[in-house]
Amino acid sequence: MHMAKMHPHAEATYRIVPIEGGYFGVEVVIPETHPTLVSRFAIAAEAEAWIAWHKGRVQAEASTQRWFRRAKPQ
């Protein structure tokens, strides 16, 4: 029986955190891994927009099972 693979970030949690200099970062936690900090957003709304974009990208890639592949150079 073939079991569908789950996107590596499908179960990620996101948290906006203040960082040095008055900026914001997004802490991304994927189960069974170390947290990652995506940083330097000038305002919290930019961090929130990045979270929404990333969740959408993960969902789109999960449906095609094409995860984070780079486009080929032209």
Side-chain angles (χ1 to χ4, degrees):
M1 176 189 271
H2 178 39
M3 189 172 200
K5 292 182 181 179
M6 182 183 291
H7 191 286
H9 296 149
E11 296 181 335
T13 59
Y14 302 85
R15 182 172 66 111
I16 297 172
V17 295
I19 59 175
E20 189 176 319
Y23 294 99
F24 296 89
V26 176
E27 181 185 68
V28 182
V29 179
I30 299 167
E32 300 181 29
T33 66
H34 294 284
T36 298
L37 184 66
V38 178
S39 64
R40 209 164 127 159
F41 299 99
I43 59 174
E46 288 178 356
E48 290 170 3
W50 183 88
I51 292 169
W53 170 82
H54 193 260
K55 285 180 176 182
R57 180 176 174 182
V58 167
Q59 187 174 38
E61 290 177 357
S63 67
T64 63
Q65 291 193 3
R66 299 186 75 181
W67 304 332
F68 299 111
R69 294 183 187 202
R70 294 180 189 247
K72 292 182 181 179
Q74 304 254 351

